[in-house]
Amino acid sequence: MKKILSSILFVISIFYANAQNFSAETIPQVLKNRATAVIRQSETTVDMRSTDNVILTVKKAITILNKNGDDHASLVLFYDKNTSIKGVKGEIYDEFGKLTSKFSLSNFKDESAVSNFSLYEDSRVKYYSPAVNIYPYTIVYTYEIRNKQNLVIPEWRPIPGYDIAAEKCTYQFVCNPKDELRIYAANYNRTPEEVLTDKQKILKWSVENVPAIKQEDYSPNAAVFLTSIKVAPKDFVYYNLKGSYTNWNELGKITYDNLLKNRQDLPAPTKDFIKELVSKEKTNRDKAQKIYKYMQQKTRYISVQLGIGGLQPSFASEVDKLGYGDCKGLVNYMQSLLDAVNIESYYCVVEAGNNKKDLISSFASMEQGNHIILCLPLKGDTTWLECTNQEIPFGYLGSFTSNRLVLACTKDGGKLLKTPKYNAENSLQERKASLVLSKEGNLKGNVTTTFKGEQYENHTYLLNKSQNDRENALRKIYDVNNINFDEIAFKKDEDQIIFTEDLKINVGHYAPVNNGKLFLNPNLLNVKKSIPFIRNRVLPLYISSGYTDVDHISYTLDQDIVPEFQPKSVHIKNEFGSYILEVKKEDNKLVYYRVLSVKEGMYKAEDYTKFQEFISEVVQNDNLKLILSLKE
């Protein structure tokens, strides 16, 4: 123990000895480039003294170069009855490295992590943001947190994201030499330093002089290219639970047997009600759909991060009584309702977000995953449910959780399953419009748009808006001068998962008139926006979701308008997708047809130039201007 203490004190003394000069001028210029903040020194130590006593110590000095880096100066610490903050102290230095103020835990604001919800009254947060508006400045702090469990060891990411550089960051994991660990190192190509004695094992990772990475359009999840270290002990304690695991099957079994079991009891009247509710339904799918609708109407979602409220869902009976819950609680509740009529379902852990991220198939850890969804392994028709959204259709996930590996926790153990993929062909936005163009350049008519696949959710949020808010939102979406909406109607087909928008519009002076000519852009509502040219791109090109847009617009022309233009046809096809543009004359009508299809995928950084050229060509054709003559 003396060796451990002397080792830690030695490291602390080195940290502070090297941390005396916080002048921003001493930061190498190469680290200031593209950075909003620079980590001067950072040391993270996880001391797993025992399975139920894990001490996390963080010491960090970070210089904030401008206002855009202020978020990196904030300190947010969650705690509950099993996680305690043992101490915090810090200092603020000005541009020249002069100490201007100090702070401690007493300067932090403290409040409930989930206000006004009794299920999570033990989850609290302390946070501190320095009130500094003269840049650059440096914040230096140290804090220690004690965890009474080692099932969840926080991932170490020395660079937390874009626009931040680092001079030196280290991570130490201290444990008993006999402790079995599994380690997953991403974007770290060196062997960690190891110190082994009779009493302890210390593993150390470090990175130095890491320049900031500028976020680029169409970039992948930062985890793809940033360094991170995950550590998962074989033997663990999670409060009153003890066990061991080395793979997803074992971890899923532990979750099912210890975190989910015995938390699904429902009051007898609720069970009876559910049985009666579905008594006339013939198939399990129909029964599940009816129960899902009931659950959506009865409950509401409260946002609690997966690790904040603990890993165990609240009792189904509590959610049934109170009518609210986080993702864990609502999934467990829905699973309990299904179980009341003997419909099997799987509680599934997923890494949710619009940038799709799989669980690591070769490395099981409870630290992965930030959301829970439900899987129904119906015979020949596996169905997935998002239980936190009161408006989402039965069987639809959307971009937040689609197309990624998730952990299904079952009585037979954990299974890695893939959520549904909505490819470019079935993520469809299809618009049909019938418009009349007057000789003054005014437009009026009807526009019907259907949304399917991942595009289903494009406009569904408008359902709960007032008429005035709908009009304002649509003006922003379609961005057409002088557009007015005479009628707005929405319709959801939850069986086919199709959202339909019906509009009756009028647009004053859409086609300018000059010297007996009208200048018409036939692409009224779907002009593609250009993407920036990026010289010397660093990051891979990542298109997270594929989609297809189809626009078919018929313009009936005033009898005094003469369509003298030549028909136009454009066909483009490449590795990123395809584009079709056709403009034709049919008697007194002008018919415009456009199809843009973009494929999802990860591409090399150098491919961005070709993708940008493709989009530029689309933009150019989308801004086509037709010249129409007026009869004298």
Side-chain angles (χ1 to χ4, degrees):
M1 187 64 190
K2 288 182 179 180
K3 288 184 179 180
I4 296 175
L5 184 59
S6 62
S7 171
I8 293 174
L9 290 174
F10 175 71
V11 170
I12 293 174
S13 67
I14 289 178
F15 181 87
Y16 283 104
N18 290 335
Q20 296 307 303
N21 186 2
F22 291 120
S23 169
E25 290 183 353
T26 65
I27 302 173
Q29 185 58 43
V30 68
L31 296 183
K32 292 181 182 179
N33 293 338
R34 303 185 300 276
T36 62
V38 178
I39 299 171
R40 313 296 295 277
Q41 295 175 325
S42 174
E43 179 184 306
T44 302
T45 300
V46 175
D47 186 359
M48 193 172 71
R49 299 175 182 178
S50 64
T51 53
D52 61 353
N53 186 14
V54 180
I55 306 298
L56 169 67
T57 305
V58 175
K59 309 176 187 70
K60 182 177 284 189
I62 180 169
T63 296
I64 309 303
L65 299 177
N66 54 55
K67 184 176 177 60
N68 293 328
D70 278 341
D71 286 348
H72 296 299
S74 298
L75 191 53
V76 180
L77 304 174
F78 291 99
Y79 69 99
D80 55 29
K81 60 184 179 182
N82 294 299
T83 302
S84 55
I85 303 170
K86 306 303 291 184
V88 179
K89 62 180 180 179
E91 300 165 333
I92 307 292
Y93 295 82
D94 68 10
E95 174 182 2
F96 307 104
K98 180 182 177 181
L99 179 66
T100 60
S101 63
K102 295 183 179 182
F103 63 90
S104 64
L105 200 57
S106 63
N107 300 110
F108 280 60
K109 293 182 179 179
D110 187 304
E111 61 185 41
S112 171
V114 190
S115 300
N116 303 319
F117 291 101
S118 60
L119 285 176
Y120 307 98
E121 59 189 10
D122 293 327
S123 299
R124 300 193 64 81
V125 59
K126 289 182 181 288
Y127 61 94
Y128 173 80
S129 296
V132 182
N133 56 13
I134 299 175
Y135 305 90
Y137 68 90
T138 299
I139 179 171
V140 180
Y141 57 78
T142 302
Y143 66 84
E144 181 179 290
I145 294 178
R146 180 188 174 190
N147 286 283
K148 296 180 182 179
Q149 58 85 28
N150 70 333
L151 180 58
V152 180
I153 302 293
E155 174 189 40
W156 180 62
R157 286 179 58 177
I159 309 298
Y162 295 106
D163 305 325
I164 181 168
E167 291 189 62
K168 185 171 184 179
C169 301
T170 63
Y171 175 51
Q172 287 191 131
F173 191 90
V174 183
C175 63
N176 187 292
K178 295 182 181 179
D179 289 334
E180 294 184 46
L181 306 174
R182 289 177 300 107
I183 297 167
Y184 186 86
N187 301 303
Y188 190 90
N189 54 13
R190 290 178 289 154
T191 302
E193 298 177 32
E194 182 174 343
V195 177
L196 186 63
T197 69
D198 293 340
K199 301 292 185 180
Q200 66 178 351
K201 176 167 62 176
I202 302 175
L203 297 172
K204 182 178 179 180
W205 295 263
S206 64
V207 297
E208 296 183 28
N209 298 319
V210 182
I213 297 176
K214 195 73 176 175
Q215 187 166 14
E216 297 170 329
D217 284 37
Y218 292 92
S219 296
N221 190 300
V224 171
F225 51 85
L226 291 179
T227 296
S228 66
I229 306 295
K230 299 178 189 290
V231 178
K234 177 183 178 182
D235 297 318
F236 71 86
V237 164
Y238 183 71
Y239 310 132
N240 296 321
L241 170 64
K242 293 183 180 181
S244 65
Y245 74 96
T246 59
N247 55 56
W248 287 116
N249 179 267
E250 294 171 347
L251 185 55
K253 181 68 171 171
I254 288 166
T255 301
Y256 181 87
D257 287 344
N258 299 283
L259 300 180
L260 305 181
K261 232 178 192 181
N262 302 322
R263 300 187 79 81
Q264 297 188 335
D265 281 349
L266 291 169
T270 299
K271 290 183 179 181
D272 292 340
F273 173 82
I274 293 298
K275 291 174 183 177
E276 177 62 27
L277 179 70
V278 301
S279 60
K280 296 181 181 179
E281 305 299 331
K282 296 181 179 179
T283 69
N284 279 350
R285 180 181 175 83
D286 291 339
K287 292 177 183 179
Q289 187 167 6
K290 202 156 190 177
I291 294 171
Y292 181 67
K293 195 67 179 177
Y294 166 78
M295 185 275 300
Q296 287 181 304
Q297 293 171 346
K298 179 177 174 62
T299 64
R300 58 193 171 107
Y301 168 64
I302 58 171
S303 177
V304 181
Q305 284 291 93
L306 192 58
I308 296 173
L311 299 175
Q312 193 169 46
S314 48
F315 287 100
S317 56
E318 289 183 318
V319 176
D320 187 67
K321 176 183 177 182
L322 298 172
Y324 61 77
D326 66 356
C327 61
K328 303 184 298 294
L330 295 179
V331 167
N332 182 64
Y333 180 56
M334 180 63 191
Q335 193 171 32
S336 304
L337 296 175
L338 292 171
D339 187 60
V341 290
N342 300 315
I343 297 177
E344 184 181 20
S345 61
Y346 301 152
Y347 180 100
C348 296
V349 182
V350 59
E351 185 70 28
N354 291 327
N355 254 337
K356 298 173 175 62
K357 184 179 179 183
D358 290 329
L359 300 185
I360 301 168
S361 60
S362 61
F363 183 81
S365 68
M366 191 64 90
E367 169 269 336
Q368 297 179 64
N370 61 4
H371 189 53
I372 305 296
I373 55 178
L374 193 64
C375 175
L376 278 62
L378 301 173
K379 189 174 181 180
D381 185 19
T382 299
T383 300
W384 297 84
L385 301 180
E386 170 57 67
C387 296
T388 63
N389 187 322
Q390 278 67 47
E391 302 295 333
I392 202 167
F394 177 83
Y396 178 74
L397 289 183
S399 59
F400 195 57
T401 54
S402 66
N403 192 26
R404 65 202 78 192
L405 280 178
V406 305
L407 174 66
C409 304
T410 80
K411 61 183 179 182
D412 299 317
K415 304 176 183 179
L416 288 179
L417 304 177
K418 192 84 169 181
T419 57
K421 177 180 178 180
Y422 303 98
N423 57 29
E425 289 74 23
N426 54 33
S427 284
L428 180 65
Q429 174 185 287
E430 188 169 11
R431 176 172 293 118
K432 294 182 179 180
S434 179
L435 304 172
V436 175
L437 177 64
S438 74
K439 62 182 180 180
E440 292 80 21
N442 301 322
L443 278 179
K444 65 178 181 179
N446 301 308
V447 181
T448 298
T449 309
T450 58
F451 303 88
K452 303 176 184 178
E454 280 194 5
Q455 296 215 68
Y456 171 86
E457 53 201 296
N458 286 5
H459 292 187
T460 52
Y461 70 97
L462 296 175
L463 279 169
N464 297 320
K465 300 280 187 181
S466 68
Q467 184 70 9
N468 186 58
D469 287 343
R470 287 178 175 182
E471 290 181 11
N472 290 333
L474 289 171
R475 285 192 182 96
K476 290 181 180 179
I477 291 169
Y478 292 122
D479 194 22
V480 176
N481 289 336
N482 304 318
I483 191 168
N484 290 293
F485 302 95
D486 299 324
E487 293 182 15
I488 300 172
F490 301 117
K491 183 174 65 176
K492 287 197 304 183
D493 183 338
E494 296 197 353
D495 292 329
Q496 299 298 317
I497 309 184
I498 298 173
F499 183 75
T500 302
E501 173 186 272
D502 282 313
L503 306 175
K504 182 174 285 188
I505 66 170
N506 71 79
V507 187
H509 306 295
Y510 176 71
V513 180
N514 190 10
N515 293 327
K517 305 287 186 183
L518 278 83
F519 300 87
L520 173 70
N521 177 1
N523 187 351
L524 174 64
L525 299 173
N526 201 3
V527 176
K528 182 70 176 175
K529 289 181 170 59
S530 60
I531 63 175
F533 173 78
I534 301 176
R535 189 184 301 277
N536 301 320
R537 184 182 174 96
V538 174
L539 300 177
L541 163 65
Y542 177 56
I543 303 171
S544 62
S545 297
Y547 64 90
T548 299
D549 287 355
V550 179
D551 291 84
H552 192 287
I553 305 177
S554 172
Y555 293 87
T556 298
L557 305 179
D558 185 283
Q559 61 182 1
D560 289 332
I561 298 176
V562 180
E564 295 180 346
F565 66 90
Q566 294 297 317
K568 184 174 177 65
S569 179
V570 176
H571 292 258
I572 305 170
K573 190 172 184 178
N574 54 40
E575 63 267 44
F576 309 112
S578 60
Y579 179 76
I580 297 172
L581 169 63
E582 294 177 355
V583 185
K584 299 177 181 179
K585 295 180 290 186
E586 295 180 359
D587 298 327
N588 70 327
K589 289 187 178 181
L590 184 157
V591 178
Y592 176 82
Y593 178 70
R594 171 194 184 267
V595 181
L596 173 62
S597 184
V598 177
K599 299 177 182 178
E600 82 163 51
M602 186 82 75
Y603 304 86
K604 297 177 182 177
E606 52 267 31
D607 288 335
Y608 180 83
T609 299
K610 291 187 289 184
F611 179 65
Q612 191 268 338
E613 290 171 351
F614 168 55
I615 297 300
S616 294
E617 196 169 358
V618 171
V619 171
Q620 180 181 347
N621 283 286
D622 275 0
N623 283 285
L624 168 71
K625 288 289 194 299
L626 300 178
I627 301 176
L628 310 176
S629 299
L630 291 174
K631 291 179 182 179
E632 296 183 0

